[in-house]
Amino acid sequence: MKISKTILLVLLLVSAIEVCQAQVKLPQIIRDSMVLQRNNTIRIWGWANQGEEISVKFNGKTRSTVASSKGDWQVDFPKMKAGGPYKMVIKASNEITLDNILIGDIWLCAGQSNMVHQLDIHDVTYADEIKNANYYEIRHFKIPTQTNLNAPAKDFEGGAWNKAVSEEVRSFSAVAYFFAKKIYEKNKVPIGLINASVGGTPIESWISEEGFKEFPDVLKTIDRNKDTTFLNDLIRKNKEFETQHPKTTIDKGIAAPVKWYESDFIPKNWRSINIPGYWEDQGIRNLDGTVWYRKEIDIPATMVGKQAKVFLGRIIDANTLYINGKKIAETTYQYPQRRYPIASDVLKPGKNTFVIKVTNYNNKGGFVPDKPYYLFAGNDTVDLKGTWHYKVGEVFEPKPIPSFDSPINTQNQPAALYNAMIAPYTQLTFKGLLWYQGESNTGEPEKYGAFQETLIKDWRKQFQQPNIPFIYAQLPNFMDVNYTPEESKWAEFRAAQMHGLHQPNTAMTINIDLGEWNDIHPDNKKDVGERMALAAFRLAYNEDVVYSGPLYKSHTIKGNKIIISFSHIGSALITKDNLAPHHFAIAGSDKKWVWADAKIEDNKVVIWNENIPNPKYARYAWADNPDNPNLYNKEGLPASPFTTE
């Protein structure tokens, strides 16, 4: 019987598809250069066709299994000591070889932007660290940002293990890098960092649906988000709304016959303004829109023909930079520091036209004070601060408020990031968990403590490590300095973060001295990471070290004085500047707070105010950005803000 060419082609195609489907597949996290946890059972898993026979050879041992009816398979290897590099070979109908595998300690590093921030973003502060990085046995895997509103995913897309060497280290989380470096230099054991962090995300995104069993309102939201009809309806309504209310204004600087950034544009009737500074503080009232800044900058001949760099601090919110009519760079949101390279053919001797288009969407717009604003090339530097000229390009017209919900931001939805960025590798064993998050929850501090305890318990359950060390960063000082005793959402939030310490084997690093008033992403990531490492030495490596600053423990009232006791006083309580303890407040039963005098006595702090004869409450460093909170232990770790209410 003759088989037609068409039938033969179909049979070959079907056969090829079956072979393709039978190919054994590994999760993204199981890759070349990975680190696996020492002194614990090592689990390797993946997928194949039902009944597919799989063997895995690793470090002289072989394990075999058969894929389940759903195509899942896994094998376990016995505990192994630190070492490597090793090779792993996975054989089925196909063969996969993984190289350069280390056995050491894995740490999950999670949270929002301050955990995201790569060394590359802070490459001025840490230029020498990047240049001299040569830690082949410190590895970092950044989980790419993705979401899942429906269920825990089996895998995620993308990602690779990078080594802490040369330029490759730039992609590392800065906090995680300094944490790992501190531990590696002491223990000389390979360190693996799995970085699951997304800027601007709330804690609810990172907790599993199962973890919310005591939060019925959250579970309702999760169920609603699984309804694709509901989500598609929101998208449709918003598209209709945008069509019915189109943008009616245009930017004059872009629409002009000669655009305002072009070299042959001649400015007329532009007003004076200073950089840095916000335009609402310089004669522009309540403007949401675009403002164009312009200045002729004198460039010495010695800077021409060289690679240059311009620092424009931080700009609220978005900006585009032009030099001599050429677009140099743009940033679409307010948080990154503006550090832009300039090609060697852009600058010319003498007058150079700098134009910056700034877009602001709400609140104050402009250039954040107390940041660097200058241009440099080689050994030459030109200051960019001072008087510029400006003209308003566009005034945003307020839109009517829609009568329906806007489309949801999926990365901010409960369980969405857990499902996509944590669930796919709960089969792994970790040495410990690091958490730096909270800025997105400061608006509702009263809810955070319960969520934080829930996260700790949930992850310990999901990873089947009921007592795994959990180390987290208390938020640092931020925003304007407070000089009077006031209420503070950030202070309330820091107090809420202390709820995590109710769970066993947890530690909170105190960072009230590491922030910047004008930057929610402070440059000092090294001390944050190293303080986390101190906590790890105690919780994960059982070393007898002082790993926390003083924490409020109790207080007594004697006459007109409140006597405050602390845990984690180390060798002794001190003030870092050898002055009296500062930023303590005191109140009677009316809760009218006033500053208190304070002194250290027998490793306790005694506070009083002569105008408060019957004190009842005490506070310390209770502010968004307290002025000189100087209480430390002798080991150099700051005391945590607190209230006795």
Side-chain angles (χ1 to χ4, degrees):
M1 176 180 176
K2 292 184 68 176
I3 301 177
S4 72
K5 291 183 178 180
T6 301
I7 294 175
L8 182 60
L9 183 61
V10 170
L11 291 173
L12 289 172
L13 181 60
V14 170
S15 176
I17 291 173
E18 289 178 349
V19 169
C20 181
Q21 288 176 336
Q23 299 285 299
V24 68
K25 180 185 176 184
L26 296 172
Q28 288 293 101
I29 204 74
I30 306 293
R31 301 171 67 89
D32 290 335
S33 301
M34 67 180 171
V35 180
L36 296 171
Q37 183 57 45
R38 63 174 172 151
N39 301 331
N40 277 276
T41 300
I42 295 174
R43 177 159 293 171
I44 305 298
W45 71 97
W47 306 276
N49 262 11
Q50 175 183 348
E52 180 85 3
E53 294 182 359
I54 300 106
S55 71
V56 182
K57 185 176 181 181
F58 178 55
N59 195 12
K61 298 177 176 60
T62 301
R63 295 292 182 269
S64 300
T65 190
V66 175
S68 72
S69 59
K70 295 181 179 180
D72 302 319
W73 62 266
Q74 68 179 41
V75 295
D76 290 344
F77 286 89
K79 297 177 182 179
M80 299 181 186
K81 295 181 179 180
Y86 300 114
K87 177 184 291 188
M88 180 181 292
V89 179
I90 301 96
K91 289 185 178 181
S93 55
N94 61 313
E95 181 174 309
I96 300 173
T97 299
L98 304 180
D99 293 313
N100 194 18
I101 299 169
L102 300 178
I103 305 295
D105 290 336
I106 316 179
W107 289 83
L108 175 59
C109 313
Q112 60 181 108
S113 52
N114 274 304
M115 184 63 86
V116 173
H117 263 220
Q118 309 98 320
L119 277 168
D120 191 47
I121 294 176
H122 303 273
D123 62 350
V124 174
T125 301
Y126 298 120
D128 288 342
E129 289 282 355
I130 293 169
K131 179 181 178 181
N132 299 319
N134 189 28
Y135 298 95
Y136 174 87
E137 292 189 326
I138 298 178
R139 310 282 173 85
H140 178 274
F141 191 109
K142 177 65 174 76
I143 308 293
T145 298
Q146 45 210 277
T147 61
N148 190 318
L149 295 178
N150 295 310
K154 288 187 175 182
D155 203 6
F156 53 82
E157 297 180 3
W161 286 92
N162 294 315
K163 297 176 283 295
V165 295
S166 187
E167 292 294 295
E168 203 169 334
V169 79
R170 286 181 174 272
S171 64
F172 277 48
S173 157
V175 167
Y177 169 75
F178 288 114
F179 167 85
K181 180 185 174 186
K182 186 81 170 178
I183 292 175
Y184 180 81
E185 287 181 335
K186 188 170 187 179
N187 293 345
K188 296 297 187 291
V189 168
I191 301 290
L193 304 166
I194 295 179
N195 178 3
S197 49
V198 179
T201 54
I203 191 172
E204 296 95 314
S205 310
W206 297 98
I207 300 171
S208 76
E209 180 177 358
E210 183 183 358
F212 284 117
K213 60 186 178 182
E214 296 180 4
F215 299 87
D217 289 344
V218 178
L219 291 176
K220 288 179 182 178
T221 300
I222 292 174
D223 285 339
R224 181 204 66 183
N225 290 343
K226 294 177 183 179
D227 185 349
T228 54
T229 302
F230 166 79
L231 296 178
N232 289 335
D233 188 53
L234 281 184
I235 294 171
R236 177 186 58 79
K237 288 179 178 178
N238 275 271
K239 285 182 178 179
E240 291 175 355
F241 181 81
E242 292 297 326
T243 301
Q244 294 165 4
H245 302 88
K247 179 180 176 182
T248 57
T249 60
I250 58 173
D251 191 301
K252 296 175 184 176
I254 298 296
V258 180
K259 296 175 175 53
W260 291 359
Y261 61 81
E262 294 180 354
S263 297
D264 53 350
F265 171 74
I266 300 174
K268 295 180 180 180
N269 301 318
W270 286 49
R271 296 174 180 268
S272 296
I273 196 168
N274 282 314
I275 291 179
Y278 302 109
W279 62 60
E280 277 85 355
D281 298 333
Q282 301 185 69
I284 302 176
R285 178 182 294 179
N286 299 330
L287 172 67
D288 296 336
T290 66
V291 175
W292 292 72
Y293 291 69
R294 179 185 179 92
K295 187 172 185 177
E296 299 294 327
I297 305 291
D298 278 315
I299 302 296
T302 53
M303 294 181 72
V304 177
K306 299 177 181 178
Q307 287 281 343
K309 201 163 188 178
V310 61
F311 281 19
L312 291 177
R314 280 184 56 230
I315 300 174
I316 299 178
D317 292 292
N319 70 279
T320 307
L321 169 66
Y322 305 90
I323 300 177
N324 296 329
K326 295 181 180 180
K327 181 179 176 180
I328 303 301
E330 65 180 338
T331 303
T332 58
Y333 64 112
Q334 65 167 293
Y335 290 116
Q337 293 200 38
R338 275 56 169 182
R339 295 169 176 168
Y340 300 137
I342 301 173
S344 58
D345 61 347
V346 172
L347 300 176
K348 59 185 181 180
K351 299 288 186 183
N352 289 253
T353 304
F354 280 58
V355 176
I356 308 167
K357 176 189 172 185
V358 179
T359 305
N360 175 245
Y361 302 106
N362 53 67
N363 300 320
K364 291 184 176 182
F367 295 77
V368 176
D370 199 22
K371 288 289 181 183
Y373 295 90
Y374 58 87
L375 169 75
F376 65 94
N379 296 321
D380 295 299
T381 301
V382 174
D383 191 0
L384 298 179
K385 296 191 297 293
T387 302
W388 289 54
H389 292 91
Y390 82 89
K391 196 172 186 66
V392 175
E394 183 177 5
V395 178
F396 294 157
E397 294 181 357
K399 280 188 176 182
I401 300 173
S403 59
F404 50 86
D405 292 333
S406 299
I408 62 175
N409 184 343
T410 55
Q411 72 178 27
N412 292 344
Q413 295 303 301
L417 296 178
Y418 170 83
N419 287 342
M421 298 178 65
I422 302 294
Y425 48 88
T426 52
Q427 298 95 323
L428 287 179
T429 301
F430 288 88
K431 186 69 173 180
L433 310 174
L434 303 182
W435 179 250
Y436 192 166
Q437 187 276 338
E439 296 90 343
S440 291
N441 289 93
T442 52
E444 296 183 305
E446 66 280 359
K447 295 182 179 180
Y448 193 82
F451 282 145
Q452 179 154 354
E453 288 197 73
T454 296
L455 177 82
I456 296 168
K457 292 185 287 187
D458 181 42
W459 282 15
R460 284 174 168 175
K461 181 177 181 181
Q462 301 300 336
F463 287 110
Q464 299 182 48
Q465 293 182 258
N467 200 42
I468 188 171
F470 190 98
I471 300 165
Y472 62 97
Q474 189 184 60
L475 293 190
N477 49 310
F478 177 53
M479 294 182 287
D480 294 339
V481 176
N482 303 66
Y483 290 97
T484 58
E486 297 174 352
E487 297 305 319
S488 160
K489 285 288 188 182
W490 275 60
E492 290 178 37
F493 184 85
R494 294 185 192 106
Q497 286 186 287
M498 296 180 72
H499 282 255
L501 299 176
H502 297 163
Q503 297 302 309
N505 214 30
T506 58
M508 178 184 73
T509 65
I510 302 160
N511 306 303
I512 197 63
D513 56 342
L514 302 183
E516 298 176 23
W517 77 268
N518 57 4
D519 203 331
I520 202 169
H521 304 123
D523 247 355
N524 190 345
K525 296 291 188 281
K526 183 175 183 179
D527 285 338
V528 177
E530 291 188 346
R531 287 176 185 179
M532 285 184 153
L534 273 180
F537 286 138
R538 181 67 186 92
L539 269 60
Y541 299 99
N542 299 313
E543 296 186 21
D544 186 15
V545 297
V546 176
Y547 65 92
S548 172
L551 298 175
Y552 166 79
K553 183 169 67 174
S554 63
H555 71 279
T556 58
I557 300 173
K558 291 186 177 180
N560 71 335
K561 293 182 173 62
I562 299 179
I563 303 166
I564 305 166
S565 298
F566 296 84
S567 59
H568 298 283
I569 62 174
S571 303
L573 286 182
I574 64 167
T575 57
K576 68 175 181 180
D577 50 14
N578 295 318
L579 301 175
H582 190 64
H583 219 282
F584 280 88
I586 194 168
S589 56
D590 58 3
K591 294 189 179 180
K592 292 182 178 179
W593 295 94
V594 296
W595 293 127
D597 294 312
K599 64 179 179 179
I600 297 172
E601 195 172 86
D602 298 327
N603 277 326
K604 298 177 182 180
V605 175
V606 181
I607 70 169
W608 71 95
N609 183 296
E610 298 300 339
N611 296 318
I612 307 292
N614 298 301
K616 188 172 183 180
Y617 304 108
R619 282 178 173 175
Y620 171 67
W622 195 261
D624 299 337
N625 189 0
D627 173 39
N628 187 33
N630 62 350
L631 185 65
Y632 284 64
N633 57 30
K634 201 170 183 179
E635 284 69 22
L637 298 174
S640 172
F642 69 87
T643 182
T644 63
E645 290 176 277

